[in-house]
Amino acid sequence: HPTDGPDGGQAGPTIFSNDGSTANDFWGTRINADGSVTVGELLVPWAGSGGGASGDMVVYNRNGTDPLPDVFPEPNFPNGRINRYRKGAPGGGGGGQVQILAIGDIVVGGAGEIWARGGNAVGGESIGWTYGQVSGSGGGSGGHIILSTASKLDLSAIDILDGSAKGDTNTTAEKGTAYVIPISDTFFTEVFNAVGGRRGWAMSHIQKGEWTEKTLDDDGNGTYAIGRGGSGSNGIIQIHVPNPATDIIWPGSRESEIRNYIHDGDIENNDADIDRLEEMLRIFAAPQPVALVPLFSARSMFRSRWIDSGLAELRQPATGKGVDYPDFASSVLSMAGFDAADGVVSVTNGVVDQLPAVVTGSATGMALFEFEARVANASAAFVGSEHFLRTPNLLLGYVFRPSVSAATSVEVVSASYDSDQDILTLLTEPSDGSMGEISGTTWSLSPRFFRFVTTGASDSMPESTAVRIQFQGAEESAPGSNEPGTPFPDTNSWTSDLSQIEGYRFVRYQIIFDIDAQAGGGVDLESPRPQMNYIKLPFTW
């Protein structure tokens, strides 16, 4: 502008992709309300950026006819033809990065604050008067706040009813409907703060009637302020807890209201609506945080995709519960080794319980090699269990004991049956040991539907650990769609009783690990973590 200062520059580049969505603008992993997973775009935590400096203003004596390249830039700066020179202002600093990564609780005291705000921008030098700033710089971006706990986030000491708090009251008049939450008389305390810095003012004096024809405040921040800076963008606040439904301790004065809202009126439901939970966290933070899974937690979970059991004429009528097929709790083949009431895997003295043998036979005529067993006269041993010979792959994962009087138990990794010679051939897991030197009179096969390994020890499960196995069933969403419909028992409920999903064409499972389930005294990075190598869900038609 020839008299009022330089025009504004371009906005700074974004670190996020131009996908038109802010739903993935974070670092880490979010479990959405529908159970899907969103992975954030950031590969690493990222602090805020500083705002751009404002421009200088230089007035030249060109002498009318001098070619512009001869007088600009002035070779004798700051003297020479320069008549007036006013300096621009530096931009606001970017907000920092704060990470609190805790194995135990993160407790925020009543006067606690965690800020990573962007710095405010300022106006450039005045031209004779303090309200004549030549230009305004840009505010710094807000920073990155990461609070990750393997236990709980305790916000109970924060007073969200104190009218003297920094934030605004939660009313329609003051905050507008976009910010009103259904919790009465609360204040936005904003103890976690990563907002961007204010923009720098410019040319306050032109606000006084020059274009608007009325007197305005000399704040250089009005609609027609030429050369003002840009505000810094807000940063990111991330809250990582193992279970958002239970692992955030809210202020007692409004805890029941908050929990009622995030559970949609059903507090007994152990699933929280993550979108609503983040609304509640807005009371404590600006901008609104995102709720993510912890970087380290005593609890973890994985969930399978929907498995289609297939469609056959035997499946009549197709009404779900109560139909004979598919039968996931068949007396012939039924997954076992966990409590059908709560899904907890059966463990005794730190070892996963071995299931009783379903087949035993005489070792007479059996040939043993290091990792192979050839069972002769197999049909005699499998009387009443002929389904194993018709479909030998049912034995995969089973535990083979070449001698019931010996301690060696090995896992079956391959099985085949030669009906002409009546020989069952089993290949076993080499890491379980060799069978070549074992002798005995009787062998056995015991079911195994999952295998755990802890610090290299097979079937080991620390006594402080609990693992739960849960299931859902679903019918076809519409005839011919071949897609699962509404889950049973319901979207947010699971069952460990396989008889309840009898007849449902689609099935999925989830496994929940808690390595601090029994002790309750906390964990550390050295706490043993069991690994599940596989899970096997048999069913019959």
Side-chain angles (χ1 to χ4, degrees):
H1 190 279
T3 59
D4 291 328
D7 296 332
Q10 297 295 316
T14 177
I15 62 172
F16 298 111
S17 65
N18 187 24
D19 58 4
S21 172
T22 60
N24 55 5
D25 291 354
F26 55 82
W27 172 64
T29 303
R30 183 182 192 268
I31 306 297
N32 303 315
D34 62 358
S36 62
V37 174
T38 298
V39 178
E41 293 183 340
L42 290 181
L43 299 180
V44 293
W46 202 276
S49 299
S54 66
D56 296 344
M57 183 180 75
V58 181
V59 178
Y60 286 85
N61 288 323
R62 186 181 174 188
N63 296 328
T65 60
D66 291 343
L68 186 59
D70 292 345
V71 298
F72 182 84
E74 169 57 52
N76 298 314
F77 179 88
N79 300 307
R81 296 177 177 85
I82 293 175
N83 176 270
R84 184 185 302 166
Y85 171 56
R86 294 290 181 265
K87 298 177 183 178
Q97 177 192 131
V98 178
Q99 295 187 49
I100 300 179
L101 312 179
I103 297 296
D105 294 352
I106 296 176
V107 182
V108 183
E113 291 179 337
I114 299 177
W115 282 20
R117 298 183 60 164
N120 288 336
V122 291
E125 279 189 336
S126 293
I127 309 173
W129 303 93
T130 57
Y131 55 67
Q133 309 97 336
V134 64
S135 58
S137 61
S141 300
H144 200 173
I145 297 176
I146 301 169
L147 306 180
S148 178
T149 170
S151 184
K152 297 182 184 297
L153 173 64
D154 188 342
L155 306 176
S156 61
I158 300 173
D159 187 355
I160 61 176
L161 304 178
D162 182 3
S164 65
K166 297 183 296 300
D168 296 324
T169 185
N170 171 36
T171 65
T172 303
E174 294 194 32
K175 294 301 291 183
T177 55
Y179 291 93
V180 171
I181 57 177
I183 305 299
S184 60
D185 302 324
T186 58
F187 283 78
F188 292 84
T189 60
E190 301 178 359
V191 296
F192 310 127
N193 196 304
V195 300
R198 191 199 68 193
R199 60 190 176 192
W201 296 344
M203 295 299 154
S204 304
H205 69 285
I206 68 172
Q207 295 296 298
K208 303 187 70 172
E210 184 174 336
W211 291 340
T212 62
E213 299 181 358
K214 61 181 179 179
T215 300
L216 300 176
D217 294 335
D218 294 329
D219 66 355
N221 203 27
T223 303
Y224 301 104
I226 295 172
R228 66 184 177 185
S231 300
S233 63
N234 286 337
I236 305 169
I237 301 176
Q238 302 184 184
I239 305 296
H240 304 244
V241 291
N243 185 349
T246 58
D247 293 337
I248 297 178
I249 305 175
W250 308 96
S253 59
R254 288 295 182 269
E255 181 177 16
S256 60
E257 289 182 82
I258 292 175
R259 292 199 180 281
N260 186 65
Y261 181 63
I262 66 176
H263 292 282
D264 197 17
D266 183 8
I267 297 180
E268 299 302 320
N269 182 359
N270 203 32
D271 282 335
D273 185 318
I274 301 300
D275 296 333
R276 292 190 172 198
L277 176 88
E278 291 174 350
E279 285 185 61
M280 295 298 98
L281 289 172
R282 171 64 182 90
I283 300 174
F284 306 88
Q288 180 171 299
V290 288
L292 308 175
V293 301
L295 305 180
F296 179 86
S297 175
R299 278 169 285 181
S300 62
M301 182 197 79
F302 72 83
R303 180 177 295 174
S304 75
R305 297 180 179 180
W306 283 106
I307 302 164
D308 190 349
S309 69
L311 188 63
E313 290 299 323
L314 289 173
R315 188 174 183 270
Q316 297 291 338
T319 56
K321 185 180 179 182
V323 180
D324 288 338
Y325 299 101
D327 186 354
F328 298 100
S330 166
S331 59
V332 176
L333 288 174
S334 181
M335 188 176 179
F338 58 93
D339 191 326
D342 59 14
V344 175
V345 172
S346 303
V347 177
T348 302
N349 296 326
V351 178
V352 177
D353 290 354
Q354 183 169 302
L355 298 174
V358 291
V359 179
T360 58
S362 170
T364 301
M366 181 176 67
L368 289 178
F369 305 91
E370 281 193 302
F371 312 116
E372 180 180 351
R374 297 175 188 172
V375 179
N377 301 315
S379 58
F382 282 82
V383 172
S385 299
E386 292 84 358
H387 51 278
F388 289 117
L389 298 182
R390 289 194 295 267
T391 312
N393 279 341
L394 291 173
L395 294 172
L396 297 184
Y398 274 40
V399 176
F400 178 63
R401 301 186 67 184
S403 172
V404 295
S405 61
T408 301
S409 298
V410 293
E411 180 179 309
V412 176
V413 297
S414 177
S416 60
Y417 175 61
D418 185 336
S419 58
D420 293 333
Q421 300 187 47
D422 196 17
I423 293 177
L424 175 69
T425 301
L426 304 175
L427 301 182
T428 62
E429 171 59 47
S431 63
D432 289 340
S434 171
M435 301 181 294
E437 303 300 324
I438 296 175
S439 62
T441 59
T442 307
W443 57 264
S444 69
L445 278 165
S446 300
R448 182 196 269 157
F449 301 100
F450 40 79
R451 184 172 190 178
F452 290 95
V453 176
T454 305
T455 59
S458 181
D459 296 326
S460 172
M461 182 78 72
E463 294 187 15
S464 60
T465 298
V467 179
R468 297 177 188 272
I469 303 177
Q470 299 175 323
F471 304 92
Q472 282 182 335
E475 290 289 2
E476 191 177 22
S477 59
S481 69
N482 293 319
E483 295 292 335
T486 303
F488 174 85
D490 60 58
T491 301
N492 294 319
S493 298
W494 295 72
T495 180
S496 297
D497 184 352
L498 285 165
S499 66
Q500 292 191 7
I501 59 172
E502 178 183 348
Y504 283 98
R505 174 177 167 182
F506 295 89
V507 63
R508 66 177 177 178
Y509 59 88
Q510 68 179 18
I511 314 297
I512 302 173
F513 293 80
D514 187 349
I515 62 175
D516 193 32
Q518 308 301 328
V523 297
D524 57 36
L525 294 176
E526 302 302 320
S527 298
R529 286 169 281 180
Q531 170 185 312
M532 176 180 264
N533 285 1
Y534 63 82
I535 183 171
K536 177 180 175 181
L537 174 59
F539 59 91
T540 60
W541 276 102

